[in-house]
Amino acid sequence: MRGFFITFEGGEGAGKSTQIRLLEQYLRGRGHTVVVTREPGGSAGAEAVRHVLLSGAAEPFGPEMEAVLFAAARLDHVEQLIRPALESGAVVLCDRFIDSTRAYQGTVKGLTKAFLSSLEKAAVGETRPDLTIILDIDAEVGLQRASARRGEGSIDRFEKDTIAVHQKRRDAFLAIAAAEPNRCVVIDADRDVEAVFSSIKAAVDAAMERREFKEGQANSFQRELH
């Protein structure tokens, strides 16, 4: 039986890592095998590309090259980790996936939706999330959180962008959620950790129950045919 694929999206400082850890603990407690991963990265090949992307080394080559590198990293990630884990029946929790490319590279002037859609199709094929949690937070608040978390560490390629750019990305995530309400759930991330997790847990439980109900109906139909 195919596993369950949950992706976490949102702007800088939204708290994805913290919430993924909490959800991992919750799902393991319910008896699920859980695989936690991230993008860019998650596999040996993708982790090598991650450094190039987040360090800004690819930036001088233009947004098209960055988008292609993200797609290449995602292809390796899907083939080497995500797809095998799902085929084994595991729950996969991924920190960023296709929607980050849509929101980050999709708001870059000159990159067309058709170009990004072609890269997306080549990278993931039919391996799409069953549920996407979008942690929504004001761009300025999120950047303040990210700065506090980072401390004296170096700022990455995307954190250094202007508030206006970060706000565009927030708007893009919300637009994705509005366009795909059956897959995406928007969670207010500007609350305490426990309140945010309570909302996430409810969304995950509901999504898994819907999947189980549909599979139960399909199995019942197959038995009737035989």
Side-chain angles (χ1 to χ4, degrees):
M1 182 181 295
R2 182 181 181 274
F4 202 81
F5 188 16
I6 303 173
T7 57
F8 280 72
E9 300 285 2
E12 308 300 328
K16 298 185 305 303
S17 298
T18 297
Q19 295 300 330
I20 288 172
R21 285 196 298 270
L22 291 173
L23 184 58
E24 177 190 12
Q25 294 168 8
Y26 172 69
L27 292 173
R28 289 191 188 279
R30 295 188 63 189
H32 293 284
T33 299
V34 182
V35 173
V36 176
T37 188
R38 66 177 183 178
E39 287 208 347
S43 63
E47 286 291 337
V49 179
R50 177 185 176 88
H51 173 71
V52 175
L53 288 165
L54 297 189
S55 68
E59 188 177 3
F61 297 99
E64 292 88 355
M65 178 61 76
E66 280 192 319
V68 169
L69 288 172
F70 270 109
R74 181 164 296 135
L75 174 63
D76 191 72
H77 188 203
V78 168
E79 291 187 344
Q80 299 300 321
L81 180 71
I82 295 175
R83 194 173 292 140
L86 293 173
E87 289 172 351
S88 75
V91 179
V92 176
L93 308 181
C94 189
D95 185 343
R96 299 198 182 281
F97 197 57
I98 55 175
D99 297 306
S100 279
T101 294
R102 294 174 179 181
Y104 279 66
Q105 279 69 57
T107 55
V108 175
K109 187 176 181 181
L111 290 186
T112 67
K113 184 176 180 180
F115 174 71
L116 292 175
S117 295
S118 295
L119 290 177
E120 180 179 305
K121 184 177 180 180
V124 306
E126 299 301 316
T127 306
R128 307 278 172 159
D130 296 292
L131 174 67
T132 296
I133 303 292
I134 296 177
L135 296 177
D136 180 50
I137 193 168
D138 176 79
E140 192 164 1
V141 173
L143 286 172
Q144 289 171 354
R145 281 187 179 184
S147 176
R149 176 196 65 208
R150 185 178 63 252
E152 298 299 319
S154 59
I155 192 167
D156 75 26
R157 155 74 180 86
F158 299 101
E159 285 182 53
K160 69 181 180 61
D161 288 325
T162 66
I163 288 291
V165 170
H166 285 283
Q167 185 58 51
K168 282 185 179 180
R169 292 169 183 159
R170 181 192 185 189
D171 293 341
F173 279 124
L174 295 176
I176 291 167
E180 298 187 55
N182 292 329
R183 174 174 68 90
C184 301
V185 175
V186 178
I187 304 291
D188 178 6
D190 195 9
R191 296 177 292 162
D192 63 71
V193 170
E194 292 76 15
V196 174
F197 181 63
S198 179
S199 297
I200 290 172
K201 184 169 65 172
V204 170
D205 286 343
M208 287 186 157
E209 287 171 8
R210 285 196 301 271
R211 233 280 290 279
E212 289 172 4
F213 177 72
K214 289 179 181 178
E215 288 177 348
Q217 284 186 316
N219 291 337
S220 177
F221 179 68
Q222 288 295 327
R223 285 195 296 271
E224 289 177 6
L225 289 178
H226 293 288

